[in-house]
Amino acid sequence: MARTTEQIDRQIANTDPELLPVGEHEKHGAKHFAGLYAAENVAGTEFVFGATFVILGAGIWDVLIGLLIGNALAVLTFWLITTPVAREVGLSVYTYLLRFGGGAISRIYNLANAIVFAVISAAMLTVSATAVQRVIGIPTQAEAYPTHLGFVILVVAFSIVAVLVAVFGFNALAEFATICGPWLATMFTVGGLVLLPAVAESVTGVTTIGSFGEFVDIAGATVFTGVTPEGEPGIGMIEVAGLAWAANSFAHAGMIDMALLRYARKGWHGLMTSTGMLFGHYVAWFSAGLMGAATAALTLTSITVLSPGDVSWVALGWAGYVTVVVAGWTTANANLYRAGLATQGVFPSMSRGRATLIVGVIVVVVACFPFVYRNYAPLVTWAGVLLAPVGGIVYAEHKLFPRFGLTEYWARFKGVTNVPAIIAWATAFGLGAVLNITQIISPYFAFVPAWIVASLLYVALARRAGAADDYTDEVRDNELFLERAQAFKRELATSLPGHVKDTSTLTRVLRGVWMLALAVILVDALVVFLASPDIYTYLTQRNTFYTIAITGTVVYFVAAYWELRRGKTLDRRAHEKARADAGSGGDGGEGGEKEPVGAAV
């Protein structure tokens, strides 16, 4: 029985706007996504990935070209797979999966996400703790398990604070995290530059590098040598490309980033993910590899047991400690928040705060084991194998069904559990797990056949289960729902002002100050790299750089956060005025009491 417009409007009014398709007024341009991905993909894990390529014995050209290929594949997947579905559906993958898949698969998927995000959070907290452990004299944890009580106490303290922030103060931390991107990208870049003269001196006896060819020769002889630390042949270009592609597979092939890319105004804005892949998964990974290998050589320590804190100290001094702590902590908190939301999806009656606390207990225990962060690359590979098949099912539901004469949302229209989706996911995950374990193909590519099998198997099973039946009335009802939801979003937008641009002199000065601070750090790193004719001059200038780096870091964060808070204050005042005006106008202004969806992303 078809519903009336009034019935649909009542349903929409009682629905959280976050669960409704994105309105046109909420979408963003290319600049937004360029900045967003640059900030999100430069994190504490880059220290781990950089060392991973050294430990796996990749050669210099394998890394330079393999990373380029793998990250290009990741960007293309974001652009051609994730972005079209996200823009057309206008929902996060969680909401869309619940609508077409039903509660059973949604709860299983949320549980899988909770596990993945909890492990990522634990790894990041361990990474942050490695910086502080060096400051207070706790030895590097070389084993898979903790070997020092002080390290356990430190990790527990970090974890408890992170969990409490995720529960009670996430918005403030999220605001702080948005300003970290430019600084983190700068610090990873300059860290490699500052250590290159030391690497060159260990090979040629001089601290200068005269050409790109000489740089390649030096890096190939000392860092990316083509052999593992044990002397075994290393991975090749194909494996490097696969690892780079797989590192974000749960976000692009797995469709998790539908939550972000649904706000893209144009389809090509999906290409803006290249900023994250370029700075985070190319420059930062390569630079982190250089820093790790150089630190191992300078400290006469195996790179397999070096911690991010050890590496950052040699490369950046005190600023390196800040880099590790900030990069790890901000990433951990964001993923703790996601894990809490996913857990709440499994247990809807539980509050988000309580769900986050429960996840936090697990995170505290896992974070105490260095094994987790040292094996971060295999962990994200398994995350891709687990979650990417769901992305294949999502893609099939929205993109493949119309081509095969099937109906989107068929299970909801028919009122049945979407068993085909569950079977397709389980089968594809089983296939991916077998490929990962047996290594019939490189485990870094295991998510690809799993994704393909999930999408095609789901189409076949859904056809047999009723997706080819006639749902004309239900489709019309859904189209009317989408039309009225857009009208509701437009009405909601008129009751609240958009972002207020701050053009004051003080804000322009603050922006100029933090940009200058980054420029000074970068220029001084170039001085160390280009103007160190001998080892004495190099060491002197490196010590000066340490001072400039930490001073510039403090100046950057003070100015950048001050600018951010000024903008937030203007927006808040504008929203308060709009709500007051709506209330005095006597129209009730229901939409004025709700925050636009875009503000939450």
Side-chain angles (χ1 to χ4, degrees):
M1 180 179 177
R3 294 180 298 172
T4 65
T5 301
E6 290 75 16
Q7 290 173 321
I8 291 176
D9 285 346
R10 280 197 298 272
Q11 177 193 354
I12 292 172
N14 292 320
T15 301
D16 184 344
E18 177 72 17
L19 304 180
L20 297 174
V22 169
E24 284 299 319
H25 64 280
E26 298 175 291
K27 295 188 176 181
H28 300 286
K31 182 179 178 181
H32 171 83
F33 294 98
L36 182 67
Y37 275 90
E40 283 210 345
N41 287 279
V42 182
T45 51
E46 317 322 340
F47 284 106
V48 181
F49 271 106
T52 295
F53 293 114
V54 179
I55 294 170
L56 292 177
I60 179 64
W61 287 110
D62 297 326
V63 173
L64 289 174
I65 299 177
L67 284 183
L68 191 63
I69 295 172
N71 286 312
L73 289 171
V75 172
L76 289 174
T77 312
F78 274 122
W79 175 39
L80 300 176
I81 301 295
T82 319
T83 305
V85 176
R87 292 185 66 249
E88 293 165 16
V89 172
L91 302 169
S92 70
V93 69
Y94 309 103
T95 304
Y96 185 54
L97 184 63
L98 177 61
R99 289 193 177 179
F100 83 78
I105 190 172
S106 178
R107 283 191 292 273
I108 298 171
Y109 183 69
N110 277 314
L111 178 61
N113 273 274
I115 294 171
V116 169
F117 290 137
V119 171
I120 292 175
S121 300
M124 292 302 93
L125 290 170
T126 312
V127 166
S128 290
T130 63
V132 180
Q133 78 176 44
R134 199 178 197 282
V135 175
I136 60 180
I138 297 174
T140 298
Q141 302 296 287
E143 302 295 334
Y145 50 87
T147 57
H148 194 283
L149 179 61
F151 178 77
V152 174
I153 295 173
L154 182 63
V155 171
V156 170
F158 258 86
S159 301
I160 290 175
V161 173
V163 171
L164 292 177
V165 169
V167 173
F168 300 110
F170 179 76
N171 286 338
L173 185 83
E175 291 173 1
F176 175 74
T178 61
I179 67 177
C180 294
W183 173 77
L184 283 171
T186 301
M187 299 313 290
F188 273 102
T189 302
V190 300
L193 285 175
V194 167
L195 285 184
L196 269 174
V199 176
E201 199 272 341
S202 68
V203 176
T204 64
V206 295
T207 55
T208 57
I209 300 176
S211 65
F212 178 74
E214 187 176 350
F215 160 75
V216 169
D217 291 339
I218 292 171
T222 59
V223 183
F224 303 109
T225 61
V227 295
T228 67
E230 293 78 25
E232 299 293 329
I235 63 174
M237 187 183 302
I238 299 299
E239 286 80 9
V240 172
L243 181 52
W245 193 15
N248 267 82
S249 58
F250 61 89
H252 50 67
M255 297 287 187
I256 286 178
D257 272 11
M258 280 177 62
L260 304 179
L261 293 169
R262 58 181 166 154
Y263 292 99
R265 188 169 293 127
K266 301 289 184 181
W268 64 268
H269 291 169
L271 291 171
M272 294 300 101
T273 57
S274 58
T275 59
M277 302 303 101
L278 173 64
F279 291 110
H281 295 181
Y282 194 96
V283 173
W285 283 2
F286 190 87
S287 182
L290 286 175
M291 287 189 279
T295 301
L298 293 173
T299 61
L300 301 178
T301 305
S302 171
I303 192 172
T304 59
V305 298
L306 277 176
S307 72
D310 298 328
V311 174
S312 65
W313 168 254
V314 174
L316 300 165
W318 285 102
Y321 287 155
V322 180
T323 301
V324 175
V325 171
V326 169
W329 209 344
T330 54
T331 305
N333 273 274
N335 284 291
L336 265 171
Y337 182 76
R338 290 168 178 153
L341 288 176
T343 303
Q344 187 185 28
V346 181
F347 306 102
S349 61
M350 186 183 297
S351 69
R352 184 195 63 80
R354 185 179 178 188
T356 305
L357 284 173
I358 292 174
V359 172
V361 173
I362 300 172
V363 168
V364 169
V365 175
V366 175
C368 292
F369 291 85
F371 166 83
V372 178
Y373 91 83
R374 293 189 189 280
N375 289 274
Y376 189 76
L379 286 173
V380 296
T381 302
W382 274 105
V385 168
L386 176 62
L387 300 179
V390 176
I393 293 169
V394 167
Y395 186 83
E397 178 83 17
H398 183 69
K399 285 292 192 179
L400 298 185
F401 272 26
R403 299 186 180 186
F404 288 94
L406 307 182
T407 302
E408 189 177 19
Y409 298 115
W410 68 274
R412 180 161 61 89
F413 293 160
K414 194 172 183 177
V416 299
T417 299
N418 198 328
V419 176
I422 297 175
I423 295 175
W425 182 15
T427 303
F429 172 62
L431 171 65
V434 169
L435 294 175
N436 213 350
I437 294 171
T438 62
Q439 299 191 16
I440 297 172
I441 63 173
S442 171
Y444 307 129
F445 291 99
F447 77 93
V448 179
W451 191 94
I452 295 172
V453 166
S455 59
L456 296 181
L457 182 59
Y458 177 54
V459 170
L461 294 176
R463 176 184 290 277
R464 293 175 59 88
D469 294 349
D470 183 14
Y471 300 100
T472 302
D473 291 339
E474 290 84 354
V475 169
R476 288 174 181 169
D477 182 86
N478 187 63
E479 289 174 348
L480 180 59
F481 173 84
L482 296 176
E483 179 184 323
R484 297 305 301 165
Q486 287 299 311
F488 175 78
K489 283 295 188 77
R490 287 193 295 270
E491 182 181 350
L492 185 65
T494 60
S495 64
L496 289 175
H499 171 67
V500 180
K501 187 175 182 180
D502 184 2
T503 58
S504 65
T505 300
L506 177 57
T507 296
R508 290 198 295 268
V509 169
L510 290 172
R511 188 175 301 124
V513 167
W514 67 253
M515 292 176 69
L516 179 62
L518 294 183
V520 169
I521 294 173
L522 179 59
V523 168
D524 193 57
L526 288 171
V527 169
V528 176
F529 172 55
L530 298 173
S532 296
D534 54 67
I535 192 66
Y536 175 79
T537 304
Y538 164 70
L539 293 174
T540 301
Q541 294 193 141
R542 191 182 70 178
N543 289 335
T544 302
F545 168 79
Y546 288 165
T547 302
I548 290 176
I550 188 60
T551 304
T553 292
V554 173
V555 171
Y556 171 83
F557 277 112
V558 170
Y561 194 67
W562 191 352
E563 180 194 355
L564 175 70
R565 296 308 304 164
R566 283 179 58 81
K568 291 290 182 181
T569 300
L570 284 177
D571 283 345
R572 186 183 69 252
R573 289 173 179 171
H575 279 75
E576 290 172 352
K577 183 178 183 301
R579 290 191 178 102
D581 292 343
S584 63
D587 59 3
E590 179 187 11
E593 296 301 319
K594 295 180 179 179
E595 186 178 7
V597 175
V601 176

